[in-house]
Amino acid sequence: MTVGRDVAQALISAHGSPLYVYEAAVLRARARRLRRSIGRDGVRWFFAAKANGNREILKVLREEGWGVDAVSIGEVLAARTAGFTPAEITYNGNNVTDDELRAVAAEGVHISVDGLPQLRRVAALGLAPTVGLRLNPDVGAGHHHHVITGGPDAKFGAAPEELDEALSIARDAGIVIDGLQQHIGSGILDTDPWLAAVDVMLRHAERLPDLAFVDFGGGFGVPYRPEEHPFDVDAFGAAVTPRLDAFEKRVGRAIEWRFEPGRYPVCESGTLLVTVTAVKRTSRHLFVGVDSGMNHLIRPALYDAWHPIFNLSRPDAPTSVVRVAGQICESGDLLAVDRELPTPQEGDILAIGNAGAYGFAMASTYNLRPRPAEVMIDDDGATRVIRRRETIADLLG
Ligand SMILES: Cc1ncc(COP(=O)(O)O)c(C=O)c1O
């Protein structure tokens, strides 16, 4: 995180607090790093817009040569209005309605169905000549059990044993299953589970007579805690490339290889700036109350996630162990639990790092509190509002 005290103060003076701030340079650097990790043709990177659906973020990634992976019609339309063509968008939604499937197909966006029931519905509705199929490869990984999306407890995808039935449903309906998709989980920092999932997926992919693409999903982790190591994208690329080469040699043709990371490109580009509104000592804790909370960044409450926090206003003050609490009427509304920080005082600005992914995207209006504005710091250092601050009038509308 490079948003320093002066920039933070100026941004809050101009746009108010709390405030989401994104750095385009960081976003571009992470996006390029991933793209460079696999140095072969036929690889496409789709940004999972669920991590951050802001159109201006999507536009930067479009400039970096990425597509968009959408899980809802809303995300499809966000990508379309950000300038992506239908062919630059993938869609896979689970438990979605016929209306949503119709709307996605009407946009001309390719659908990967989540399992046999959705495949039957797409067939009955006559929506698409080709579909992908999401597979649950029975391999799961992730930073918290809520984000493990493969394996026996996950609601996603079709089981590998259902592949033959899927092919026969599709054949009867005159649909071609042209690709397999998977996503085993989120926040994966080790390459091993990832590679294991690649191997499983490639084994199943060989069973598809009309295979045009394989989509390995997202899940590339970023370190949040100082002791965590980064995901080794280069080692991953070096290990994956020969597997893809060997597969193409075996089947005798080129395949399109897709990845759909969300967190990796955007996470470290985003910071949530908040202002201290109260400092209160109880019999057990020193609570530092801020003008934000789980309504703007739910990850600590939902996943016990640890986000770096900096006291930008007094970095050199003597430290205390504090609980950073939000404004929401829930005891679980804590952004940090027992964290050593330069002791904050009312009015201090705190910066919460790694907030670019699943931050604003998961924000809510719980307690009827509006969501913050979002600001982009462009490559040349200029700043612009990329989403205006919500107002109470918006919520009462
Ligand atoms: C289908 C799918 N693709 C991609 C992603 C992005 O995951 P990540 O942000 O961990 O890269 C997710 C996240 O849950 C997902 O469900």
Side-chain angles (χ1 to χ4, degrees):
M1 192 200 75
T2 53
V3 178
R5 170 164 53 182
D6 295 345
V7 171
Q9 251 158 12
L11 287 173
I12 284 190
S13 299
H15 307 293
S17 174
L19 190 65
Y20 268 101
V21 181
Y22 305 101
E23 296 166 88
V26 178
L27 180 59
R28 287 185 197 283
R30 299 297 180 275
R32 285 176 197 174
R33 182 133 206 259
L34 265 189
R35 276 193 78 190
R36 271 201 311 264
S37 67
I38 306 180
R40 77 191 295 289
D41 289 341
V43 176
R44 290 179 73 192
W45 296 87
F46 293 84
F47 173 60
K50 62 189 295 194
N52 192 318
N54 190 295
R55 269 200 306 245
E56 298 303 313
I57 299 268
L58 301 184
K59 282 182 189 168
V60 172
L61 289 164
R62 183 159 185 272
E63 286 164 11
E64 293 301 324
W66 285 53
V68 162
D69 163 49
V71 293
S72 70
I73 180 65
E75 290 182 358
V76 168
L77 295 177
R80 294 289 287 127
T81 55
F84 291 86
T85 64
E88 292 169 336
I89 304 170
T90 62
Y91 168 87
N92 105 282
N94 72 97
N95 304 328
V96 297
T97 61
D98 288 355
D99 282 348
E100 172 148 325
L101 290 170
R102 275 195 204 97
V104 173
E107 286 294 320
V109 169
H110 183 272
I111 294 173
S112 283
V113 294
D114 184 66
L116 301 192
Q118 204 183 101
L119 175 59
R120 286 196 189 94
R121 283 169 53 213
V122 168
L125 295 167
L127 288 182
T130 61
V131 295
L133 174 68
R134 178 162 179 168
L135 210 62
N136 178 344
D138 214 9
V139 184
H143 67 82
H144 186 277
H145 67 272
H146 287 173
V147 300
I148 295 175
T149 49
D153 292 323
K155 67 171 175 167
F156 300 98
E161 307 79 71
E162 293 177 310
L163 199 46
D164 288 334
E165 193 179 348
L167 287 168
S168 116
I169 294 169
R171 205 177 311 112
D172 292 349
I175 294 175
V176 169
I177 298 184
D178 60 350
L180 282 188
Q181 188 244 5
Q182 71 170 8
H183 174 79
I184 62 165
S186 207
I188 302 166
L189 286 173
D190 293 319
T191 51
D192 284 355
W194 235 110
L195 293 169
V198 166
D199 289 337
V200 173
M201 188 71 159
L202 292 179
R203 262 205 314 279
H204 296 306
E206 270 194 68
R207 296 165 57 195
L208 256 70
D210 301 300
L211 186 76
F213 74 89
V214 177
D215 185 335
F216 295 108
F220 302 89
V222 299
Y224 285 77
R225 296 170 182 265
E227 68 273 18
E228 282 173 346
H229 62 85
F231 184 86
D232 191 341
V233 285
D234 296 327
F236 173 73
V240 155
T241 304
R243 288 166 157 89
L244 307 185
D245 294 344
F247 184 94
E248 288 188 353
K249 211 164 159 198
R250 269 200 310 279
V251 299
R253 64 181 194 284
I255 303 294
E256 186 174 295
W257 305 104
R258 300 180 177 178
F259 296 89
E260 6 175 286
R263 184 185 319 267
Y264 191 91
V266 81
C267 179
E268 292 162 310
S269 78
T271 303
L272 175 59
L273 298 177
V274 302
T275 303
V276 176
T277 48
V279 179
K280 184 160 77 178
R281 187 170 289 286
T282 65
S283 58
R284 285 233 168 116
H285 307 292
L286 183 59
F287 282 98
V288 173
V290 298
D291 59 355
S292 183
M294 64 191 289
N295 47 332
H296 301 155
L297 183 65
I298 201 173
R299 300 191 69 260
L302 188 61
Y303 307 132
D304 274 331
W306 193 102
H307 282 257
I309 301 190
F310 305 91
N311 184 345
L312 294 184
S313 299
R314 57 189 83 248
D316 302 321
T319 60
S320 305
V321 173
V322 305
R323 295 195 155 193
V324 180
Q327 301 179 312
I328 295 300
C329 285
E330 299 263 351
S331 290
D333 180 22
L334 297 173
L335 294 169
V337 177
D338 303 341
R339 185 78 60 88
E340 187 168 358
L341 282 185
T343 313
Q345 296 184 14
E346 279 183 31
D348 283 0
I349 298 173
L350 306 186
I352 304 174
N354 281 13
Y358 307 104
F360 190 96
M362 294 177 90
S364 75
T365 56
Y366 187 36
N367 283 193
L368 280 191
R369 292 194 179 280
R371 293 176 298 172
E374 295 181 286
V375 166
M376 177 80 86
I377 305 178
D378 282 320
D379 303 333
D380 60 2
T383 59
R384 63 196 161 101
V385 175
I386 57 171
R387 191 192 308 267
R388 72 165 170 81
R389 184 174 302 284
E390 217 164 31
T391 64
I392 291 176
D394 292 332
L395 307 189
L396 302 182

